[in-house]
Amino acid sequence: MKPFGAEAMPKSSSALILALLGLVWIGSAAGWAQDWRQEREAAIRDRGLDPSQVQLPDQLTEEMRAWAASQVDPGSTPLGQLRQLLEAMGDPEKLSLVYAEGYTGTAEETFDSGKANCLSFTQLFVALTRDLGLSTYYMNIPEVQRFRRRGDLVVVSGHVTAG
């Protein structure tokens, strides 16, 4: 198995990715992350559900939070923290994610299994960065990456990344 993104991303592309991540809008660190979580929990309750009973794709465990915090220097700039986390997520000695076409896990499933496609990698990255107080978001890339036929069904694959 190849490291995550190895088939599509030569090392020289990492500068491009980091430059794109540099476009991230940075909010007030801890306050922004806490407000965002509280708003989501309130929206779930407003629909008559218990937030603790809803599986969220970006749910983190304490182990995941501790790992992310250990990978970044809190004294770094927000861009520095993004770069540090992204490098740690791609380092086989630290997280060892491998690309798995068709696998879409939650952030927790991706962290535990070490498998990721673009969506599950993005879910994990966005969850970890938001928990660190960095304002990140999902970006849908509107191009069709590929399509294939399964009987009468045409399956269209797109691409998701973080901004």
Side-chain angles (χ1 to χ4, degrees), residues 146-157:
R146 68 176 171 260
F147 63 92
R148 61 181 172 256
R149 184 176 294 276
R150 289 188 185 160
D152 292 339
L153 181 66
V154 175
V155 179
V156 177
S157 298

Side-chain angles (χ1 to χ4, degrees), residues 18-76:
L18 291 173
L20 290 173
L21 286 173
L23 299 175
V24 172
W25 173 78
I26 305 302
S28 65
W32 179 85
Q34 188 63 28
D35 291 347
W36 173 80
R37 276 191 218 97
Q38 289 173 347
E39 287 175 16
R40 179 174 63 185
E41 286 185 11
I44 292 170
R45 277 192 202 88
D46 288 348
R47 289 172 177 79
L49 301 170
D50 176 359
S52 67
Q53 299 300 308
V54 176
Q55 183 180 18
L56 302 169
D58 60 351
Q59 191 75 36
L60 298 177
T61 64
E62 288 307 315
E63 176 190 6
M64 295 165 71
R65 287 185 174 95
W67 179 85
S70 74
Q71 301 306 309
V72 300
D73 174 5
S76 291

Side-chain angles (χ1 to χ4, degrees), residues 1-14 17 86 89-92 96-101 114-122 159:
M1 296 183 104
K2 297 179 183 178
F4 184 82
E7 72 293 335
M9 200 171 36
K11 288 187 181 203
S12 62
S13 296
S14 62
I17 289 171
L86 185 61
M89 289 176 68
D91 185 338
S96 191
L97 290 177
V98 292
Y99 181 77
E101 183 177 343
K115 298 186 300 186
N117 65 5
C118 66
L119 179 55
S120 54
F121 182 89
T122 300
H159 185 62

